[in-house]
Amino acid sequence: MFKTKRLMILLGIFGFLLVGCKDNSKTENAADDASLSRTKNDTDNTSSSKTKKKTGAYATITFDDGRRTIEMEARSQQGILSLPTKFEGNMTDYKIIVIIELKDSEPLQNKIYEKGAYLSISNMKGKIPLDEKYQSNHNKSEDGKRGHAEIKITSISKTHAEGTFSGTLYSKSHRKATIEGKFITKRMECLPLM
């Protein structure tokens, strides 16, 4: 009985926290599941949509085989600036998701970061268009070389972060992808509980 009561209190607190969080990110056309990913030198995977809005954010991903490049226009972005020393963001075209993370010992400012920078790309669902996840820090090349990420913050405040990113990412099977792009993210904020 006591454990059930404790669990109900914790669930109630968690519910209040979820209700109190407000999403201030620029999510445009979130209900429209059409993709803006384009593959060069292969086929055009662009789905048509009645209303295609651009957020200004993008990623260009080139794979080691040299035959495939994906140009992703972000249709949805979110970011968390929970601490002055940490930024977490993601952007997606509803097929691929790019995760951008930055942690530093000092408050983040307008500059280039390599230490503490992390990038990853993966599918939102299934195995198309990517057949595996690529990461800058966790996977290695066949000769043991780690990936690398660089994040350049061009504008940051308590409410938004903007900048560019680039990196070399590897999959678990040691395949290589290079990425470069731009992010423009408004933070998600939690409203105080009453």
Side-chain angles (χ1 to χ4, degrees):
M1 178 76 178
F2 185 67
K3 289 182 181 181
T4 305
K5 193 173 187 180
R6 232 192 267 176
L7 179 63
M8 294 303 289
I9 290 171
L10 287 173
L11 286 174
I13 291 171
F14 183 69
F16 280 124
L17 288 174
L18 285 178
V19 170
C21 286
K22 176 181 170 188
D23 184 359
N24 279 341
S25 65
K26 286 196 175 188
T27 304
E28 303 187 19
N29 293 337
D32 185 4
D33 201 17
S35 172
L36 287 177
S37 287
R38 289 184 198 93
T39 305
K40 286 185 182 174
N41 303 330
D42 277 344
T43 58
D44 188 16
N45 293 333
T46 306
S47 299
S48 63
S49 169
K50 291 181 182 177
T51 56
K52 291 183 182 177
K53 294 185 180 178
K54 295 183 180 180
T55 63
Y58 71 90
T60 302
I61 306 160
T62 304
F63 296 90
D64 62 354
D65 60 14
R67 293 179 290 152
R68 191 165 74 138
T69 297
I70 296 176
E71 292 182 1
M72 182 187 95
E73 292 180 29
R75 307 265 323 277
S76 174
Q77 300 179 79
Q78 291 184 347
I80 300 172
L81 294 161
S82 55
L83 300 170
T85 59
K86 185 176 181 181
F87 167 70
E88 295 175 3
N90 69 60
M91 55 193 225
T92 184
D93 65 353
Y94 304 118
K95 284 192 177 182
I96 297 173
I97 185 165
V98 176
I99 297 176
I100 306 161
E101 292 182 13
L102 178 58
K103 297 175 189 172
D104 197 41
S105 59
E106 300 289 322
L108 300 178
Q109 53 188 313
N110 296 354
K111 72 177 197 176
I112 297 172
Y113 292 90
E114 290 184 17
K115 183 179 178 187
Y118 170 78
L119 297 170
S120 78
I121 53 173
S122 60
N123 291 327
M124 290 291 289
K125 300 178 199 172
K127 293 200 175 267
I128 298 175
L130 304 177
D131 55 356
E132 52 186 329
K133 183 176 185 174
Y134 291 78
Q135 300 177 355
S136 63
N137 296 353
H138 300 294
N139 301 324
K140 298 177 183 178
S141 66
E142 285 183 346
D143 60 356
K145 188 175 178 183
R146 278 206 183 274
H148 145 267
E150 179 179 289
I151 299 173
K152 180 181 180 182
I153 304 242
T154 56
S155 176
I156 190 163
S157 71
K158 291 181 181 179
T159 60
H160 88 284
E162 185 173 337
T164 60
F165 58 89
S166 63
T168 302
L169 291 66
Y170 291 100
S171 67
K172 282 187 179 180
S173 64
H174 313 294
R175 294 188 353 212
K176 177 181 165 183
T178 56
I179 185 170
E180 65 91 20
K182 178 180 180 181
F183 63 92
I184 304 167
T185 304
K186 289 201 174 186
R187 79 176 272 184
M188 292 175 62
E189 64 182 60
C190 288
L191 300 173
L193 298 175
M194 293 185 203

